[in-house]
Amino acid sequence: MQVVFQITSGERDAQLSMLGQLNNLLNYTNERKTRIAIEVVVHGHAWNLLLPGGHPFPEKVSALHGQSVRFLICRNTLNSHQLAADQLLPFVEVVPAAIAHLVERQQAGWAYIRC
Amino acid sequence: MQVVFQITSGERDAQLSMLGQLNNLLNYTNERKTRIAIEVVVHGHAWNLLLPGGHPFPEKVSALHGQSVRFLICRNTLNSHQLAADQLLPFVEVVPAAIAHLVERQQAGWAYIRC
Amino acid sequence: MQVVFQITSGERDAQLSMLGQLNNLLNYTNERKTRIAIEVVVHGHAWNLLLPGGHPFPEKVSALHGQSVRFLICRNTLNSHQLAADQLLPFVEVVPAAIAHLVERQQAGWAYIRC
């Protein structure tokens, strides 16, 4: 299984909901010994999900990364918020354009989940 | 045609909007005598859509079920709201994890509509 | 690349966000000389995006159309708002049912972005 999540919300509830969904999905695949590749594409207001300190959930995000979930941020989002990648959690990867990445993944056969 | 809908909103407007979309889709396929399989995956706050009485729309949901729309709820959602499946409309089916089901359907070629 | 966007929001921020995403996507494909087909399916509250005057963004929408982005509106949305197609921007195309179009595109291999 291969799936790419898209999150744009900066709100706590939406982010917690996605983190819960990721854990539920990993529990499902772990129980069935199913291989899964998961990416989370973060853009728009959701960039605060990837901050290392304080709000919102760096431990939860790091724990998911420890289970091989990849977290990707859009370069356009970094630029429009005057953020540098090194202000974010150290494992965050940068993609040139969030939507382009989501399109490419889907056209390569990945499933898509809009948070 | 094969399509899986995802709804997480407990709000009346979002639910009514989805029910209208399902009817429009069925009208479209009925007029063209196109075969279609439709599933609605309910999780998060949307579980109240599947209650048998009162709010919100049990007659509309039942009518859609009568036209072969399947309504699925996530076991994680049941657990987190301390709900039993037999408190819901009798035709509701339970899936172990909403997101896993959505991923599996898409990877089997189904289209995906996020409500 | 082939991608269909879905927008249902009548809110300024959601519409601006989508228009920015479309521009970012076109920049990405132009830089890489990648061919792309883009459609935007407008329904629900989002119909005001396609009005020729005043709110919200007719110049931005027209500029995107000039870069080959197609804008489609749902006939059910026109009917429910008592709108005629000739009240909208002149290049807007009408599809019989928004969701049916989104399903058909995905089943023909197009990617899907939910705004």
Side-chain angles (χ1 to χ4, degrees):
Chain A
M1 293 166 80
Q2 295 169 304
V3 56
V4 61
F5 285 68
Q6 178 189 14
I7 185 162
T8 55
S9 172
E11 292 179 19
R12 177 185 170 82
D13 280 0
Q15 294 183 354
L16 262 182
S17 170
M18 182 186 73
L19 297 170
Q21 289 170 12
L22 289 166
N23 279 311
N24 288 340
L25 179 57
L26 286 167
N27 288 341
Y28 177 91
T29 54
N30 288 341
E31 283 171 9
R32 286 157 187 79
K33 303 193 194 308
T34 304
R35 290 169 66 100
I36 188 161
I38 304 177
E39 290 180 350
V40 178
V41 174
V42 172
H43 65 122
H45 302 295
W47 58 272
N48 63 349
L49 177 69
L50 303 178
L51 289 176
H55 176 72
F57 314 110
E59 296 81 9
K60 290 179 191 288
V61 173
S62 297
L64 286 162
H65 173 69
Q67 293 184 78
S68 301
V69 178
R70 294 174 68 191
F71 289 87
L72 314 176
I73 195 160
C74 178
R75 178 158 304 285
N76 297 303
T77 299
L78 291 178
N79 292 346
S80 64
H81 293 86
Q82 296 180 289
L83 275 171
D86 63 11
Q87 296 174 267
L88 303 177
L89 288 162
F91 49 78
V92 173
E93 302 169 68
V94 180
V95 291
I99 301 296
H101 187 78
L102 292 165
V103 172
E104 288 172 345
R105 285 303 195 213
Q106 288 184 67
Q107 300 218 308
W110 290 49
Y112 165 63
I113 299 291
R114 178 59 158 116
C115 297
Chain B
M1 294 166 80
Q2 294 169 304
V3 55
V4 61
F5 285 68
Q6 177 189 13
I7 185 163
T8 54
S9 172
E11 292 180 18
R12 175 186 172 81
D13 280 359
Q15 294 183 353
L16 261 181
S17 170
M18 182 186 73
L19 297 170
Q21 289 170 12
L22 289 166
N23 279 311
N24 289 341
L25 179 58
L26 286 166
N27 288 341
Y28 177 91
T29 54
N30 287 341
E31 282 171 10
R32 286 157 186 79
K33 303 194 192 309
T34 304
R35 291 168 66 101
I36 189 162
I38 305 177
E39 291 181 349
V40 179
V41 174
V42 173
H43 65 124
H45 302 294
W47 58 272
N48 63 349
L49 177 70
L50 303 178
L51 290 175
H55 177 72
F57 314 110
E59 296 81 9
K60 289 180 191 288
V61 173
S62 297
L64 286 163
H65 173 69
Q67 293 184 79
S68 300
V69 178
R70 294 174 67 190
F71 288 87
L72 314 176
I73 195 161
C74 178
R75 178 158 305 285
N76 296 304
T77 299
L78 291 178
N79 292 347
S80 64
H81 292 86
Q82 295 181 290
L83 275 170
D86 64 9
Q87 295 174 267
L88 302 177
L89 288 162
F91 49 78
V92 173
E93 302 168 67
V94 180
V95 290
I99 301 296
H101 188 78
L102 292 164
V103 172
E104 288 172 344
R105 284 304 195 212
Q106 288 183 68
Q107 299 219 309
W110 290 50
Y112 165 63
I113 299 291
R114 178 58 158 116
C115 296
Chain C
M1 293 166 81
Q2 294 169 304
V3 56
V4 60
F5 285 68
Q6 178 189 13
I7 185 164
T8 54
S9 172
E11 293 178 20
R12 176 185 172 83
D13 280 0
Q15 294 183 354
L16 262 182
S17 170
M18 182 186 73
L19 297 170
Q21 289 170 12
L22 289 166
N23 279 311
N24 289 340
L25 179 58
L26 286 166
N27 288 342
Y28 178 90
T29 54
N30 288 341
E31 283 170 9
R32 285 157 186 79
K33 303 194 192 309
T34 304
R35 291 168 66 100
I36 189 162
I38 305 177
E39 291 180 349
V40 179
V41 174
V42 173
H43 65 122
H45 302 295
W47 58 272
N48 64 348
L49 177 69
L50 301 178
L51 289 175
H55 176 73
F57 314 109
E59 295 81 9
K60 290 179 191 287
V61 172
S62 296
L64 286 162
H65 173 69
Q67 293 185 78
S68 299
V69 178
R70 294 173 67 190
F71 288 88
L72 314 176
I73 194 162
C74 177
R75 178 158 305 285
N76 296 303
T77 299
L78 291 178
N79 292 347
S80 64
H81 293 87
Q82 297 181 288
L83 275 171
D86 62 11
Q87 295 174 266
L88 302 177
L89 288 163
F91 49 79
V92 173
E93 302 168 67
V94 180
V95 291
I99 301 295
H101 188 78
L102 293 165
V103 173
E104 289 172 344
R105 284 304 195 212
Q106 289 183 69
Q107 301 219 308
W110 291 49
Y112 164 64
I113 299 292
R114 178 60 157 115
C115 297

